[in-house]
């Protein structure tokens, strides 16, 4: 027996037109992390129209709605992230982004929903309308949370710091989803345990002594020093982690100098670390510190390196009981052929910060974005272009199904 009532299933189809129009609008007008003012206003207006009690907290929007029996029963929170990325879109979509936005450093950036957050918002609003217009089908309290700044690991913390825990009812469970290249469009994937990696980034500045390019013996070359670090640091995973443990260390940027015949006096590297275990992440970070300092000493660097750790993401690991309820709901609503076991994703999320602040269990799952056989482009690619349908309907249906499965549990 399906989780959604006959009336809800029929309403899903009726919502298609406005949801597609709204998604295209969000996609044309993305906004960067912690600068999502237009997006927030549109979300708040929709929630007010549906009858939600609306709160603006920490740059995000939260709608609270009591179901049948005056809200008696469980409380379920569903979260959608709302920010775009500083990416120049090359998807060729007829509703491609037309937006640029000034970032926190005052630089004008091309902006794109290159991670599917436009789908997350629109599916979240679709589920919010379904639940609001069919309150007779459920009891309890529904919390629709729209979070800013996921791409910078800032938004969930911002909402917690601004008092979200005290402003809304404590959820019995928190839920969230992400559109992904796997599974295929029209399917969902869920599992218990780790689903998204823990992560951190590092900014490392190593110092040399500037010199003429023809006189390297009179200076200390930070380019050679940084290059040695880039090579050496890969052994953290290859030679210091067990082959059974997952870890990634990526040097995403190395910048030094501006002329072919000048040895500069410093080099700056940007690194990224990922793992499925917080202790392993710390081992990678501490190992990088050790290697950087040792290479600086070996190169006769005149100053200690500068090492800044930032953009820390927690591990996203699903509660087994919460995931079982979601899986059972999906199987009842979609059937076995459209529900898959989710493999852990090496990307990261700040989703769990909010449920952890409440002390609530959570479940996070994947929604397919590309039709079978179609060429796929990964999240964050300028070519990212999920199939509008069935992705949007599936995201809406999955959100509503998971919420109702827990409200009825």
């Amino acid at each position: 027996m399906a989780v959604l009532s006959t009336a809800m299933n029929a309403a899903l189809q009726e919502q298609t037109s406005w949801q597609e129009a709204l998604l295209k609008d969000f996609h044309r007008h993305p906004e960067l992390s912690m600068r999502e003012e237009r997006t927030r206003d549109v979300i708040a207006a929709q929630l007010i129209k549906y009858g939600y009690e609306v709160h603006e907290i920490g740059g995000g929007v939260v709608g609270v709605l009591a179901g049948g029996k005056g809200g008696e029963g469980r409380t379920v929170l569903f979260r959608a992230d709302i920010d775009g990325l500083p990416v120049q879109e090359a998807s060729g979509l007829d509703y491609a982004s037309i937006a640029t936005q000034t970032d926190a450093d005052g630089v004008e950036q091309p902006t794109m929903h290159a991670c599917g957050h436009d789908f997350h918002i629109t599916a979240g609003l679709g589920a919010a309308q379904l639940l609001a217009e069919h309150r007779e089908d459920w009891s309890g309290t529904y919390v629709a949370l729209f979070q800013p700044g996921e791409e910078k690991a800032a938004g969930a913390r911002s909402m917690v710091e601004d008092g979200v825990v005290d402003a809304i009812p404590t959820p019995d469970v928190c839920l969230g989803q992400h559109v992904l290249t796997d599974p295929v469009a029209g399917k969902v994937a869920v599992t218990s345990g780790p689903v998204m990696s823990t992560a951190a980034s590092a900014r490392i500045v190593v110092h040399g002594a500037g010199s003429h390019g023809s006189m390297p013996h009179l200076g200390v070359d930070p380019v050679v020093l940084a290059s040695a670090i880039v090579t050496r640091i890969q052994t953290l995973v290859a030679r210091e982690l067990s082959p059974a443990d997952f870890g990634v260390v990526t040097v995403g940027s190395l910048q030094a100098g501006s002329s072919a015949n000048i040895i500069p006096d410093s080099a700056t590297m940007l690194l990224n670390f990922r793992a499925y275990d917080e202790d392993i992440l710390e081992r990678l970070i501490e190992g990088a510190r050790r290697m950087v300092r040792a290479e600086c000493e070996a190169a006769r660097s005149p100053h200690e390196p500068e090492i800044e750790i930032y953009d820390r993401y927690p591990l996203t690991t699903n509660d087994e009981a919460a995931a079982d309820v979601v899986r059972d709901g999906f199987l009842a609503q979609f059937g076995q052929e459209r529900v898959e076991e989710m493999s852990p994703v090496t990307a990261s999320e700040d989703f769990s910060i909010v449920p952890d602040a409440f002390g609530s269990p959570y479940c996070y799952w994947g929604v397919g974005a590309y039709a079978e056989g179609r060429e796929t482009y990964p999240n964050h690619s300028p070519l990212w272009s999920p199939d509008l349908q069935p992705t949007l309907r599936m995201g809406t249906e999955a959100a509503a199904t998971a919420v109702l499965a827990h409200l009825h549990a």
Side-chain angles (χ1 to χ4, degrees):
M1 180 177 178
V3 175
L4 271 61
S5 67
T6 301
M8 278 189 170
N9 280 310
L12 272 170
Q13 187 62 40
E14 295 171 5
Q15 291 182 185
T16 298
S17 179
W18 75 257
Q19 280 194 279
E20 289 186 359
L22 187 60
L23 182 139
K24 291 178 179 179
D25 180 71
F26 282 134
H27 194 86
R28 288 191 187 100
H29 303 96
E31 294 176 295
L32 296 174
S33 300
M34 305 310 295
R35 304 175 74 82
E36 308 97 328
E37 295 179 6
R38 178 185 185 273
T39 304
R40 186 173 62 242
D41 289 345
V42 173
I43 293 168
Q46 291 288 112
L47 292 174
I48 290 169
K49 183 170 71 173
Y50 303 152
Y52 283 74
E53 173 190 306
V54 173
H55 307 260
E56 294 194 7
I57 303 171
V61 182
V62 186
V64 180
L65 184 74
K69 301 180 183 178
E72 178 184 340
R74 306 189 83 214
T75 296
V76 176
L77 181 151
F78 179 82
R79 171 271 205 174
D81 39 10
I82 69 175
D83 51 331
L85 285 159
V87 173
Q88 179 68 62
E89 183 160 0
S91 68
L93 294 171
D94 61 7
Y95 52 93
S97 172
I98 59 173
T100 62
Q101 192 175 23
T102 303
D103 65 16
D105 297 322
V107 178
E108 193 73 12
Q109 299 277 10
T111 310
M112 177 188 175
H113 269 303
C115 202
H117 295 185
D118 47 346
F119 281 87
H120 301 172
I121 304 165
T122 313
L125 288 172
Q129 183 185 34
L130 274 178
L131 290 159
E133 293 183 352
H134 298 86
R135 292 194 219 190
E136 70 281 359
D137 290 339
W138 58 281
S139 59
T141 300
Y142 177 54
V143 179
L145 186 147
F146 295 84
Q147 181 213 300
E150 184 276 331
E151 299 293 357
K152 288 187 173 293
R157 289 187 179 91
S158 174
M159 296 189 78
V160 170
E161 290 168 1
D162 199 32
V164 69
V165 171
D166 297 321
I168 64 174
T170 298
D172 293 288
V173 67
C174 296
L175 307 172
Q177 65 185 9
H178 208 300
V179 289
L180 299 167
T181 56
D182 184 43
V184 298
K187 294 186 178 184
V188 291
V190 63
T191 193
S192 57
V195 290
M196 292 274 186
S197 70
T198 180
S201 294
R203 179 178 180 271
I204 299 173
V205 180
V206 294
H207 299 278
S211 181
H212 195 287
S214 68
M215 305 171 188
H217 59 293
L218 299 180
V220 175
D221 193 334
V223 178
V224 174
L225 167 56
S227 299
I229 291 169
V230 170
T231 302
R232 175 72 180 178
I233 214 162
Q234 296 307 314
T235 66
L236 280 170
V237 173
R239 289 295 177 268
E240 295 195 23
L241 285 190
S242 163
D245 293 328
F246 165 74
V248 172
V249 180
T250 297
V251 181
S253 175
L254 196 169
Q255 299 181 21
S258 59
S259 177
N261 68 341
I262 300 174
I263 293 174
D265 58 8
S266 68
T268 300
M269 294 172 285
L270 301 179
L271 281 68
N272 187 251
F273 307 89
R274 295 181 189 269
Y276 290 140
D277 183 284
E278 296 285 357
D279 289 339
I280 290 175
L281 181 72
E282 289 303 320
R283 283 174 57 192
L284 294 175
I285 293 171
E286 289 309 307
R289 292 183 194 272
R290 166 172 46 86
M291 289 180 176
V292 168
R293 290 173 180 143
E295 291 290 350
C296 286
E297 182 176 355
R300 298 180 298 111
S301 176
H303 304 291
E304 286 292 313
E306 301 166 32
I307 303 174
E308 174 196 1
I309 306 299
Y310 65 98
D311 282 2
R312 295 199 67 132
Y313 286 87
L315 179 67
T316 305
T317 183
N318 284 342
D319 176 79
E320 184 174 359
D324 285 345
V325 172
V326 171
R327 183 186 295 106
D328 290 345
F330 286 167
L331 289 170
Q333 182 69 23
F334 303 123
Q336 181 72 53
E337 68 281 359
R338 296 172 66 196
V339 181
E340 296 187 357
E341 186 72 10
M342 184 176 179
S343 298
V345 179
T346 53
S348 303
E349 257 283 358
D350 68 350
F351 160 73
S352 64
I353 290 172
V354 169
D356 284 350
F358 280 107
S360 303
Y362 62 82
C363 180
Y364 193 82
W365 62 89
V367 177
Y370 289 91
E372 189 167 7
R374 190 192 150 193
E375 185 173 5
T376 62
Y377 303 100
N379 304 72
H380 290 215
S381 166
L383 298 171
W384 167 259
S385 51
D387 291 291
L388 184 59
Q389 297 294 1
T391 307
L392 180 54
R393 178 185 168 117
M394 193 66 178
T396 305
E397 193 172 354
T401 295
V403 169
L404 288 171
H406 274 282
L407 285 172
H408 294 155

